[in-house]
Amino acid sequence: MGQGETGEVTPPESIPRVGVVGVGALGKEHARIYSELDRLGLARFAGLCDSNAEAARSLAARLGVRAFDDIASLAAGCDALSIVTPTVTHFAIARDLLAMEIGRAHV
């Protein structure tokens, strides 16, 4: 269970599972923040992925989360995703995720 700023307790089933797509300069910051939220019990950082698999593995190892090989696998275990890739790729990634009808994930 997590505890919010006002001291309320968050039931475990309502804690969102989040992931990061892209681990460039801004993606690393999203991942760092999600990692901190996970540590505080306010989110569950499910993992990250990037087209540069080595960069994804390196950051994942540093933060203690899983590096996924593809976006669909990451999305399948998340309630929400941060798409932190070059701006010109946002639409295509979001469109493909929405077309997969993975479930309840927020993109």
Side-chain angles (χ1 to χ4, degrees), residues 38-62:
D38 189 289
R39 188 183 70 73
L40 295 171
L42 299 173
R44 295 288 172 250
F45 187 16
L48 49 83
C49 69
D50 192 277
S51 58
N52 179 337
E54 181 53 39
R57 284 191 296 272
S58 176
L59 182 59
R62 197 173 65 191

Side-chain angles (χ1 to χ4, degrees), residues 34 47 83 90:
Y34 284 146
I83 299 174
H90 290 181

Side-chain angles (χ1 to χ4, degrees), residues 9-25:
V9 176
T10 306
E13 65 275 1
S14 69
I15 296 174
R17 297 169 300 159
V18 296
V20 175
V21 179
V23 298

Side-chain angles (χ1 to χ4, degrees), residues 18-22 27 30-31 34 49 74 80-85 93 106-107:
V18 296
V20 175
V21 179
H30 281 243
Y34 284 146
C49 69
L74 172 62
L81 293 172
S82 286
I83 299 174
V84 199
T85 58
I93 291 170
H106 294 280
V107 178

Side-chain angles (χ1 to χ4, degrees), residues 54-102:
E54 181 53 39
R57 284 191 296 272
S58 176
L59 182 59
R62 197 173 65 191
L63 296 175
V65 298
R66 180 175 171 194
F68 287 81
D69 293 329
D70 61 87
I71 297 170
S73 297
L74 172 62
C78 291
D79 299 309
L81 293 172
S82 286
I83 299 174
V84 199
T85 58
T87 303
V88 298
T89 66
H90 290 181
F91 174 75
I93 291 170
R95 180 197 59 220
D96 292 348
L97 285 166
L98 292 170
M100 289 179 207
E101 298 181 15
I102 291 174

